[in-house]
Amino acid sequence: ISGSGTFNNCLIINNTSTENGGGIYLTNSSNTINSTISNNKAKKGAGINSTSTITLKIVILWGNVASIDGNEIYKESGTVSDPIFVDPNGDDYRVYGVSPCIDAGGNGYISELYDIRGEGYPRKLDGEDSSLVGTVDIGAYEYKHGEDKYLPPTLTTPILLLPQNNN
C-alpha cells in the first residue's frame, strides 16, 4: 500500500510474498483495527512488514511464517497467546468461545456495527450472553453465544496404548 489508510474489520489470510510483507506491506503510516491476519508467508514480516508507523488495535496476528525474520510484528494491542481459531486449515478464523480474544478488545476503537459476516452479527456482544452489550472481541469476527462454537473438539473415545511385543 502506498499512501496512508485504515484496514478495518478485515480478514487477511493465506497470502504469499516472494519478498516482504506476506499479509500487508506498508510504505506509509496505517491503522489496522479489529482484523485477523494469519497464515501469510514472506521472507521478512510475514504478517505485516512496514517501513513506516503502523498502529494495531484489537488485531489477531498469529500463525504467519517468515523464512528470514519477523513471523509476526510488534503490536500495540492484540493477542500474544493462541487465539484458538475454529479451523484455520479450512479458512475458518472465527474463535471458540473459550478464546482469550472474547470480550478483550476496546470499544473505543471501532465504529463498525457488525463483524465481517455482516448484518445479524453485531459487534460488542457479551461473550456469555449475546443478548447483552459487552466488550468487542479481538479479530474480524465477534463470537455469538449460542451460534458459534464454544469448545474445541475433544477426544471422546479413550485410546488404549499397549506395549509392542518385541519377541
Side-chain angles (χ1 to χ4, degrees), residues 32-78:
T32 301
I33 304 168
N34 239 96
S35 296
T36 301
I37 303 168
S38 186
N39 200 33
N40 298 292
K41 296 173 178 64
K43 285 184 181 177
K44 293 183 179 178
I48 299 174
N49 186 308
S50 179
T51 59
S52 188
T53 302
I54 182 168
T55 302
L56 303 175
K57 297 177 180 169
I58 28 186
V59 171
I60 298 174
L61 188 58
W62 185 263
N64 300 288
V65 178
S67 61
I68 296 176
D69 190 27
N71 289 331
E72 320 297 345
I73 64 167
Y74 174 81
K75 49 200 166 293
E76 180 182 316
S77 66

